[in-house]
């Protein structure tokens, strides 16, 4: 990735960290979970509305934490609307591989979502930050499985 592009992605993360999107409760959510990353103190309450076809209709979050955790949650809520739970699981697998330096398989994934995930994958140089970047996604998996709480520990 060239430096201009990297700067652009860093701006994206800063912007989402400062001005999180979909930052509110979702009264009609049919799944929710509380995610906690004790290493950093990040906490995310995630709300998801999934329809009978397993398509994510709406997703929102509240919480507090470092810029990476908030930006990751904010970007996740933007990329998941209209996706199936299975697509969300594949995006999470991609994020996890990208953040841990594994070669990640992006075949069939939404390109815009992949670009955003690649923006976050700079955390692989800071292993302690990987849990910040993946917390929202762990919380999503817990919510979809109807686990009410998840911790990265
Ligand atoms: Zn954090």
């Amino acid at each position: 990735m060239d430096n201009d592009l990297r700067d652009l992605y860093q701006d994206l993360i800063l912007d989402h960290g400062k001005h999180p999107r979909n930052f509110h409760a979702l009264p009609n959510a049919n799944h929710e979970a509380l995610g906690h990353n004790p290493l950093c103190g990040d906490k995310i309450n995630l709300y998801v509305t999934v329809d009978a076809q397993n398509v994510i209709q709406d997703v929102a979050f509240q919480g507090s934490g470092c810029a990476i955790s908030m930006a990751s949650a904010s970007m996740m809520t933007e990329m998941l609307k209209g996706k199936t739970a299975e697509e969300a699981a594949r995006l999470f697998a991609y994020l996890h591989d990208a953040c841990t330096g594994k070669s990640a398989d992006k075949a069939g994934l939404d390109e815009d979502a992949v670009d955003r995930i690649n923006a976050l994958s700079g955390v692989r140089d800071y292993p302690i930050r990987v849990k910040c970047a993946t917390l929202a996604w762990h919380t999503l998996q817990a919510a979809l499985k109807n686990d009410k709480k998840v911790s990265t520990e």
Side-chain angles (χ1 to χ4, degrees), residues 37 40-42 65-69 129 131-132:
N37 172 18
C40 181
D42 310 316
C66 66
I68 297 276
S69 67
R129 290 291 185 194
K131 287 181 175 177
C132 303

Side-chain angles (χ1 to χ4, degrees), residues 17-32:
K18 272 191 207 147
H19 309 286
R21 318 299 200 272
N22 303 303
F23 191 81
H24 53 80
L26 210 58
N28 298 321
N30 50 14
H31 296 271
E32 63 177 274

